[in-house]
PDB file of all heavy atoms in Angstrom:
ATOM      1  N   GLU A 751      41.081  -7.144 -11.687  1.00 97.00           N
ATOM      2  CA  GLU A 751      40.207  -8.209 -11.189  1.00 97.00           C
ATOM      3  C   GLU A 751      39.224  -8.669 -12.270  1.00 97.00           C
ATOM      4  O   GLU A 751      38.876  -9.838 -12.326  1.00 97.00           O
ATOM      5  CB  GLU A 751      39.456  -7.752  -9.944  1.00 97.00           C
ATOM      6  CG  GLU A 751      40.313  -7.737  -8.706  1.00 97.00           C
ATOM      7  CD  GLU A 751      40.864  -9.107  -8.337  1.00 97.00           C
ATOM      8  OE1 GLU A 751      40.098 -10.081  -8.215  1.00 97.00           O
ATOM      9  OE2 GLU A 751      42.087  -9.187  -8.141  1.00 97.00           O
ATOM     10  N   ARG A 752      38.807  -7.757 -13.111  1.00 97.00           N
ATOM     11  CA  ARG A 752      37.911  -8.126 -14.208  1.00 97.00           C
ATOM     12  C   ARG A 752      38.601  -9.132 -15.126  1.00 97.00           C
ATOM     13  O   ARG A 752      38.000 -10.136 -15.512  1.00 97.00           O
ATOM     14  CB  ARG A 752      37.491  -6.885 -14.998  1.00 97.00           C
ATOM     15  CG  ARG A 752      36.588  -7.205 -16.162  1.00 97.00           C
ATOM     16  CD  ARG A 752      36.193  -5.976 -16.953  1.00 97.00           C
ATOM     17  NE  ARG A 752      35.252  -6.342 -18.005  1.00 97.00           N
ATOM     18  CZ  ARG A 752      34.381  -5.519 -18.552  1.00 97.00           C
ATOM     19  NH1 ARG A 752      34.323  -4.258 -18.162  1.00 97.00           N
ATOM     20  NH2 ARG A 752      33.566  -5.947 -19.497  1.00 97.00           N
ATOM     21  N   LEU A 753      39.852  -8.851 -15.458  1.00 96.00           N
ATOM     22  CA  LEU A 753      40.589  -9.763 -16.335  1.00 96.00           C
ATOM     23  C   LEU A 753      40.729 -11.149 -15.717  1.00 96.00           C
ATOM     24  O   LEU A 753      40.540 -12.167 -16.391  1.00 96.00           O
ATOM     25  CB  LEU A 753      41.962  -9.188 -16.668  1.00 96.00           C
ATOM     26  CG  LEU A 753      41.970  -7.923 -17.512  1.00 96.00           C
ATOM     27  CD1 LEU A 753      43.388  -7.363 -17.622  1.00 96.00           C
ATOM     28  CD2 LEU A 753      41.383  -8.190 -18.886  1.00 96.00           C
ATOM     29  N   VAL A 754      41.055 -11.204 -14.450  1.00 96.00           N
ATOM     30  CA  VAL A 754      41.198 -12.499 -13.772  1.00 96.00           C
ATOM     31  C   VAL A 754      39.845 -13.196 -13.682  1.00 96.00           C
ATOM     32  O   VAL A 754      39.735 -14.403 -13.931  1.00 96.00           O
ATOM     33  CB  VAL A 754      41.842 -12.325 -12.379  1.00 96.00           C
ATOM     34  CG1 VAL A 754      41.919 -13.654 -11.645  1.00 96.00           C
ATOM     35  CG2 VAL A 754      43.229 -11.699 -12.499  1.00 96.00           C
ATOM     36  N   TYR A 755      38.805 -12.449 -13.349  1.00 97.00           N
ATOM     37  CA  TYR A 755      37.457 -13.010 -13.280  1.00 97.00           C
ATOM     38  C   TYR A 755      37.077 -13.636 -14.625  1.00 97.00           C
ATOM     39  O   TYR A 755      36.548 -14.746 -14.682  1.00 97.00           O
ATOM     40  CB  TYR A 755      36.454 -11.918 -12.892  1.00 97.00           C
ATOM     41  CG  TYR A 755      35.022 -12.400 -12.874  1.00 97.00           C
ATOM     42  CD1 TYR A 755      34.461 -12.906 -11.708  1.00 97.00           C
ATOM     43  CD2 TYR A 755      34.233 -12.345 -14.025  1.00 97.00           C
ATOM     44  CE1 TYR A 755      33.152 -13.356 -11.690  1.00 97.00           C
ATOM     45  CE2 TYR A 755      32.927 -12.791 -14.011  1.00 97.00           C
ATOM     46  CZ  TYR A 755      32.386 -13.301 -12.850  1.00 97.00           C
ATOM     47  OH  TYR A 755      31.095 -13.761 -12.835  1.00 97.00           O
ATOM     48  N   GLU A 756      37.371 -12.916 -15.697  1.00 97.00           N
ATOM     49  CA  GLU A 756      37.013 -13.408 -17.031  1.00 97.00           C
ATOM     50  C   GLU A 756      37.781 -14.675 -17.390  1.00 97.00           C
ATOM     51  O   GLU A 756      37.276 -15.514 -18.144  1.00 97.00           O
ATOM     52  CB  GLU A 756      37.230 -12.317 -18.073  1.00 97.00           C
ATOM     53  CG  GLU A 756      36.190 -11.218 -17.980  1.00 97.00           C
ATOM     54  CD  GLU A 756      36.405 -10.082 -18.969  1.00 97.00           C
ATOM     55  OE1 GLU A 756      37.553  -9.840 -19.396  1.00 97.00           O
ATOM     56  OE2 GLU A 756      35.405  -9.423 -19.319  1.00 97.00           O
ATOM     57  N   GLN A 757      38.984 -14.843 -16.882  1.00 96.00           N
ATOM     58  CA  GLN A 757      39.738 -16.064 -17.127  1.00 96.00           C
ATOM     59  C   GLN A 757      39.029 -17.279 -16.521  1.00 96.00           C
ATOM     60  O   GLN A 757      39.075 -18.373 -17.081  1.00 96.00           O
ATOM     61  CB  GLN A 757      41.152 -15.959 -16.558  1.00 96.00           C
ATOM     62  CG  GLN A 757      42.030 -14.990 -17.306  1.00 96.00           C
ATOM     63  CD  GLN A 757      43.369 -14.762 -16.605  1.00 96.00           C
ATOM     64  OE1 GLN A 757      43.603 -15.227 -15.501  1.00 96.00           O
ATOM     65  NE2 GLN A 757      44.244 -14.024 -17.271  1.00 96.00           N
ATOM     66  N   PHE A 758      38.365 -17.082 -15.404  1.00 95.00           N
ATOM     67  CA  PHE A 758      37.671 -18.172 -14.721  1.00 95.00           C
ATOM     68  C   PHE A 758      36.229 -18.343 -15.162  1.00 95.00           C
ATOM     69  O   PHE A 758      35.716 -19.456 -15.188  1.00 95.00           O
ATOM     70  CB  PHE A 758      37.696 -17.950 -13.200  1.00 95.00           C
ATOM     71  CG  PHE A 758      39.022 -18.214 -12.574  1.00 95.00           C
ATOM     72  CD1 PHE A 758      39.921 -17.179 -12.384  1.00 95.00           C
ATOM     73  CD2 PHE A 758      39.389 -19.492 -12.188  1.00 95.00           C
ATOM     74  CE1 PHE A 758      41.157 -17.410 -11.805  1.00 95.00           C
ATOM     75  CE2 PHE A 758      40.624 -19.737 -11.610  1.00 95.00           C
ATOM     76  CZ  PHE A 758      41.513 -18.698 -11.424  1.00 95.00           C
ATOM     77  N   HIS A 759      35.550 -17.240 -15.483  1.00 96.00           N
ATOM     78  CA  HIS A 759      34.109 -17.275 -15.700  1.00 96.00           C
ATOM     79  C   HIS A 759      33.667 -16.874 -17.102  1.00 96.00           C
ATOM     80  O   HIS A 759      32.468 -16.856 -17.380  1.00 96.00           O
ATOM     81  CB  HIS A 759      33.407 -16.353 -14.687  1.00 96.00           C
ATOM     82  CG  HIS A 759      33.667 -16.734 -13.269  1.00 96.00           C
ATOM     83  ND1 HIS A 759      33.057 -17.793 -12.646  1.00 96.00           N
ATOM     84  CD2 HIS A 759      34.505 -16.203 -12.345  1.00 96.00           C
ATOM     85  CE1 HIS A 759      33.494 -17.897 -11.407  1.00 96.00           C
ATOM     86  NE2 HIS A 759      34.376 -16.942 -11.202  1.00 96.00           N
ATOM     87  N   GLY A 760      34.582 -16.516 -17.955  1.00 96.00           N
ATOM     88  CA  GLY A 760      34.212 -16.071 -19.292  1.00 96.00           C
ATOM     89  C   GLY A 760      34.041 -14.564 -19.357  1.00 96.00           C
ATOM     90  O   GLY A 760      33.987 -13.866 -18.339  1.00 96.00           O
ATOM     91  N   ARG A 761      33.949 -14.104 -20.567  1.00 97.00           N
ATOM     92  CA  ARG A 761      33.903 -12.661 -20.832  1.00 97.00           C
ATOM     93  C   ARG A 761      32.671 -12.012 -20.214  1.00 97.00           C
ATOM     94  O   ARG A 761      31.563 -12.535 -20.287  1.00 97.00           O
ATOM     95  CB  ARG A 761      33.902 -12.425 -22.340  1.00 97.00           C
ATOM     96  CG  ARG A 761      34.017 -10.974 -22.717  1.00 97.00           C
ATOM     97  CD  ARG A 761      34.234 -10.818 -24.224  1.00 97.00           C
ATOM     98  NE  ARG A 761      34.363  -9.436 -24.557  1.00 97.00           N
ATOM     99  CZ  ARG A 761      33.328  -8.629 -24.789  1.00 97.00           C
ATOM    100  NH1 ARG A 761      32.103  -9.094 -24.755  1.00 97.00           N
ATOM    101  NH2 ARG A 761      33.526  -7.363 -25.082  1.00 97.00           N
ATOM    102  N   ILE A 762      32.867 -10.854 -19.617  1.00 97.00           N
ATOM    103  CA  ILE A 762      31.774 -10.025 -19.113  1.00 97.00           C
ATOM    104  C   ILE A 762      31.256  -9.240 -20.313  1.00 97.00           C
ATOM    105  O   ILE A 762      32.020  -8.555 -20.989  1.00 97.00           O
ATOM    106  CB  ILE A 762      32.260  -9.088 -17.987  1.00 97.00           C
ATOM    107  CG1 ILE A 762      32.754  -9.913 -16.799  1.00 97.00           C
ATOM    108  CG2 ILE A 762      31.140  -8.137 -17.562  1.00 97.00           C
ATOM    109  CD1 ILE A 762      33.457  -9.108 -15.725  1.00 97.00           C
TER     110      ILE A 762
END
Side-chain angles (χ1 to χ4, degrees):
E751 284 299 307
R752 179 181 184 155
L753 294 173
V754 177
Y755 177 91
E756 288 178 334
Q757 290 172 353
F758 286 94
H759 301 283
R761 187 171 181 275
I762 297 171

